[in-house]
Amino acid sequence: MNSPTVELKLPILPNMELVATQTADIIAKHMHLSEDQSGEITMALIETCINAFEHSKAGNNIFIHFIIEESSLVIKVIDQGIGFDKSKVAIPKIENKIGKDERKRGWGLQLIQALMDSVEFESTDSGTTVTMTKNK
Amino acid sequence: MNSPTVELKLPILPNMELVATQTADIIAKHMHLSEDQSGEITMALIETCINAFEHSKAGNNIFIHFIIEESSLVIKVIDQGIGFDKSKVAIPKIENKIGKDERKRGWGLQLIQALMDSVEFESTDSGTTVTMTKNK
Amino acid sequence: MSDFKTKVTAVNEIVIIETEGYLNNEGGQMVYDICIDKMASGSRKFLLNLSGTKVVNSIGVSIIIEVIEKLQEVEGKLGYYNMAPIVEKTFHIMGLSKYSSLYKTEELALLEF
Amino acid sequence: MSDFKTKVTAVNEIVIIETEGYLNNEGGQMVYDICIDKMASGSRKFLLNLSGTKVVNSIGVSIIIEVIEKLQEVEGKLGYYNMAPIVEKTFHIMGLSKYSSLYKTEELALLEF
Ligand SMILES: Nc1ncnc2c1ncn2[C@@H]1O[C@H](COP(=O)(O)OP(=O)(O)O)[C@@H](O)[C@H]1O
Ligand SMILES: Nc1ncnc2c1ncn2[C@@H]1O[C@H](COP(=O)(O)OP(=O)(O)O)[C@@H](O)[C@H]1O
């Protein structure tokens, strides 16, 4: 049998990422994940969504799939934008930012990877899919 | 231009209607609807979702579209179930239920119609679409 | 996921059931079971403090109708207070306000009960 | 939709900014503007009471990094208390804890500040 899946199509509008986090919250409760796990999912989801909103240059919508598996929650955040090469993204360090000219931003990917149990990026010039997993 | 639309595909699992209501809540805030309007949408959405979950006999999922229009929020709740003939559904009255043998349930459609500005039912033997509108 | 909870206390002969969470099928059934149990040991007056219940469904409220019916059989009564606006509106649409009492606050409820 | 709000008070020479809501781009900017404004009139010590902020994004927190930087230039300092666990974890991952202080409670914050 297929795993139960919640799918969300979100228009690119301010703070729409909160629709995704509220959805994740209820799914996390349903799966009896802890408050901490739920918070980590929230934060990772916010970051993937705002990346898709801000950087992908996708025209209209992004797509989020929540796949409820026996022992994990798998979340896919999909945009149909320009894609990017993750290996070219610098790893941020606060020491290089405070008191330096470096742009203060650039934390999203770092956070996503720190907060989830596994994260995969598939990106081409027709879009990006971020697949992140939180184990029970 | 097309109106921004949030689409949700929900598996038939306990309390999944709360994913829909949380989504509606954030959209309602985005549209600057009042707390009262937001509560009315929540309740109407719960009832349409549990009907689709419980009565449609659809196998897997239901679909919800939130269409953000200039002066209204249009919500479609779609199932691919057995359908029903709304004209054959009796209008519930509490007088006929309390102290009588009549089944206590049967309030959903009544509530949906009382709480939303307009409601349309399209139903065939391959499914039901309820379209409900809340004006700003 | 629904996390419906109740806390039962008593003031004079009035049983007060404080609810928290989504009053759905299960939530309604929990309230029903408490009332039936307390009625068996003689209680007749019940108040629901609904401040923690921001959302209900019609299945849950239908079970409250069953409570009202059971209470009618023994000349008991049911009231509610601290209702969220949409919960109050739902109770009105369904007509529960004809067979049970809605109060703004606990004070007002206890005064009339 | 974000409904970010702030309330600014002062204890001794410490400016306390109580936040409510999603600390995103706009939220971060609101905090930044308050700090810059108060620094212009001489304040050097700032505490954020984050009890009302259950969720942040990295854009908002990056603006807090800018506040830290501005405060370093004038030998001021920044602290936080009443953080939700995920907010605290985010500040740690981003390394803000190296340049500003996290406290459990207002009491502890005021004691050390
Ligand atoms: N979905 C995406 N589509 C295109 N580019 C992306 C996407 N996600 C991330 N990126 C690229 O990766 C960079 C790093 O992202 P991130 O770590 O989230 O920090 P920030 O968003 O603050 O720049 C972005 O600046 C952008 O160039
Ligand atoms: N999506 C649907 N698919 C099939 N039948 C439906 C659907 N929605 C409503 N119905 C029918 O309409 C009846 C009345 O629904 P409702 O007023 O919500 O009360 P209840 O769900 O308590 O029976 C249901 O009992 C069912 O027969």
Side-chain angles (χ1 to χ4, degrees), chain A residues 55-59 61 63 77-84 122-129:
Chain A
H55 301 304
S56 80
K57 312 256 186 292
N61 298 288
F63 303 84
V77 178
I78 303 157
D79 68 61
Q80 294 165 341
I82 56 170
F84 74 112
E122 292 160 77
S123 198
T124 68
D125 59 12
S126 59
T128 300
T129 296

Side-chain angles (χ1 to χ4, degrees), chain A residues 15 18-19 22, chain B residues 22-31, chain D residues 1:
Chain A
N15 294 338
L18 298 183
V19 170
Q22 296 282 7
Chain B
Q22 296 282 7
T23 303
D25 221 46
I26 292 166
I27 296 170
K29 279 203 185 117
H30 172 83
M31 294 179 68
Chain D
M1 188 157 93

Side-chain angles (χ1 to χ4, degrees), chain A residues 51-52 55-56 79 83-84 89 103 105-109 128:
Chain A
N51 276 347
H55 301 304
S56 80
D79 68 61
F84 74 112
V89 177
R103 146 178 196 275
R105 295 203 27 203
W107 297 96
L109 301 180
T128 300

Side-chain angles (χ1 to χ4, degrees), chain B residues 51-52 55-56 79 83-84 89 103 105-109 128:
Chain B
N51 277 346
H55 301 304
S56 79
D79 68 62
F84 74 112
V89 177
R103 144 178 197 276
R105 296 202 27 203
W107 296 97
L109 302 179
T128 300

Side-chain angles (χ1 to χ4, degrees), chain A residues 8-28:
Chain A
L8 199 52
K9 177 179 131 186
L10 290 182
I12 300 180
L13 292 174
N15 294 338
M16 270 296 142
E17 64 273 21
L18 298 183
V19 170
T21 64
Q22 296 282 7
T23 302
D25 221 46
I26 292 167
I27 295 170

Side-chain angles (χ1 to χ4, degrees), chain A residues 112-127:
Chain A
I112 295 161
Q113 292 172 106
L115 293 169
M116 298 298 278
D117 289 308
S118 76
V119 187
E120 255 172 61
F121 299 86
E122 292 160 77
S123 198
T124 68
D125 59 12
S126 59

